[in-house]
Amino acid sequence: MGSSPSIFRFISTIFPWLFFFSILFLMGSLFWGLFLAPTDYKQGDAYRIIFIHVPSAILGQSGYIFMAVFGFICLVWRVKVAGMIVRSIAPVGASFTLLALVSGSIWGKPTWGTWWVWDARLTSTLILFFLYIAIISLFSVIESKQKADRAGSILALVGVAIIPIIKKSVDWWQTLHQSSTFSLSSSPSMTADMYLPLLSCVLAFYLIFLVIVLSRMKLEIVQRERSTNWVKDFYS
Amino acid sequence: MNPIRKQRVYALVAILLGVSVAIFLVLNGLKQNLNLFYTPTQVIKENLLEVNKLARVGGMVKDNSFTEHTNSLMKSFEITDFNESIVVVYKGILPDLFSEGSGVVVQGMLTEEGSFEASEVLAKHDENYMPPEVAKTLKYK
C-alpha cells in the first residue's frame, strides 16, 4: 500500500469494470429521472434539470472536501500519492461546479426570470469555482511537482471554509435560491418517486467522479515515473 | 506522531483557525449587505430603505391583491412577510412562476407615497416538488 506501482496496478485492474458499471448506472439513473419520474405540479418538466444540477453541485463541493483531506495528508505526512490525488481531483471538481452553475443558470431564466443574481448561494458557488481555478493554476505554474503539490494542498485546505458557507448560505441570508430539498436530517420536500431517482443520480455522479479521478491518477503516476523500469515493463 | 509532523499539524490548524476567524468577522460585518432583499417589515417598520434608491424587496404575493390594467402592462400587487405588506407597481412581463401565494423578489425604488415601483420581478421558487396528482390532493393550485 502506498507505492505508486501497486496503486497503478490496482487501478488498472478495477478500472474497466468500474468504468462500464458507472456508465450503465449513470444512464439508468438519468433515464429514470429525466423520463420516468413524474412532472412537477408547478414547474412542469423544467424541474427535471434538478437531476443534473443537484448531483453536480454536490460533487463540486464533495470534490473540494476530498481535496482538502488529501491536501492535509500531503502536507503533514508528505505522502506523494496524496498530492497526486489532489492534483487529479482539481479539474474534475471544477468541471462539476461549472456544470452546476451553468445548469442552474439555464433553469433560472424560465423559473426566476433571470440567468444570474448575486445572492449568497450563487456567489459563494462562483467563489468555489474560482478557488478550483486558482488551485489548478498553482499546479500548472510551479514546475517542481512536489512544491506544486504542497502549494495546491495549502490552498485547498484554506479554501475549505467556503463549503459550510455555500451549504448554509440559504439559511443564513435571504437568497433567491431555494433552500435544500433534501438533507440527511429531515424528510425530503419531495415525493419518493422524485427523490429516489435524484438519489440514484447523485450516486451515479459520485461513481463517474471516481472513474475520472482514477483515470487521471493513472496518467499522473505514469507521467511522474516514466523513466522507471516498472513503467517500461508494464507497457512493453 | 513525530515532532516535525506534530508541528506541521499545529501550523495547519493555526492557519485554518485564523482563516475561519477572519471569514467570520467579514461575514458578520457584512451581515445586512449579504441579504439579497429587504422584507416588508424592514421597509415599513424599520425604515431601512431610502426613497428613490435602487433596492430589492422580497416576500409572498398577498392573496387577492393582484390587479392588472386591461390595456397596458401595468400591474400592481402586495408583497407580505405576514407582518407588514407593501404595494408594488410594475410595468412589464411577469415570470411564469409568478402567482398569488408564492414568493417573489422585486427590484426597484420606494416612492414618496410609500409604494414600491419595480423595474424587475423575479419569482422565488420554494424547495417543495411534487407530482400534479399529489398537489391536487393537497389542494395546491
Side-chain angles (χ1 to χ4, degrees), chain B:
Chain B
M1 228 186 311
N2 74 36
I4 299 172
R5 282 176 194 155
K6 223 175 210 169
Q7 216 167 359
R8 284 183 200 141
V9 173
Y10 289 149
L12 288 175
V13 170
I15 293 174
L16 266 181
L17 273 179
V19 170
S20 316
V21 169
I23 291 174
F24 174 77
L25 289 176
V26 169
L27 292 182
N28 213 32
L30 292 174
K31 227 181 216 162
Q32 179 55 45
N33 297 313
L34 285 171
N35 287 325
L36 185 73
F37 53 84
Y38 293 95
T39 59
T41 307
Q42 286 174 320
V43 177
I44 291 166
K45 278 251 173 77
E46 298 168 29
N47 285 319
L48 287 178
L49 276 193
E50 285 172 55
V51 171
N52 288 334
K53 221 175 160 194
L54 199 63
R56 290 194 202 93
V57 178
M60 290 283 195
V61 180
K62 213 174 178 177
D63 282 330
N64 308 317
S65 72
F66 184 75
T67 53
E68 211 170 357
H69 264 246
T70 39
N71 45 14
S72 80
L73 288 173
M74 279 308 261
K75 305 162 172 71
S76 85
F77 50 90
E78 279 177 56
I79 302 185
T80 175
D81 57 1
F82 306 108
N83 287 318
E84 297 290 335
S85 61
I86 183 168
V87 177
V88 177
V89 194
Y90 174 63
K91 190 178 179 179
I93 296 162
L94 294 166
D96 290 351
L97 281 193
F98 180 93
S99 68
E100 285 178 350
S102 65
V104 281
V105 176
V106 299
Q107 184 176 320
M109 292 173 190
L110 193 65
T111 62
E112 294 189 3
E113 300 84 58
S115 67
F116 195 83
E117 209 178 285
S119 51
E120 189 182 34
V121 174
L122 301 178
K124 184 168 160 39
H125 181 61
D126 61 20
E127 68 275 26
N128 298 307
Y129 297 81
M130 61 184 94
E133 308 85 58
V134 180
K136 218 181 251 169
T137 54
L138 283 174
K139 296 229 172 70
Y140 276 81
K141 54 170 169 175

Side-chain angles (χ1 to χ4, degrees), chain A residues 77-94:
Chain A
W77 286 275
R78 302 283 144 100
V79 182
K80 269 193 212 156
V81 180
M84 291 186 205
I85 296 176
V86 177
R87 198 184 275 258
S88 310
I89 290 176
V92 189

Side-chain angles (χ1 to χ4, degrees), chain A residues 4-6 8-9 84 217-236:
Chain A
S4 304
S6 59
F8 182 85
R9 284 198 193 96
M84 291 186 205
M217 277 280 290
K218 248 178 96 173
L219 192 67
E220 193 66 40
I221 293 174
V222 174
Q223 260 178 0
R224 288 190 194 200
E225 315 230 334
R226 58 181 174 274
S227 52
T228 58
N229 284 326
W230 72 264
V231 171
K232 284 174 190 152
D233 288 346
F234 189 89
Y235 282 103
S236 60

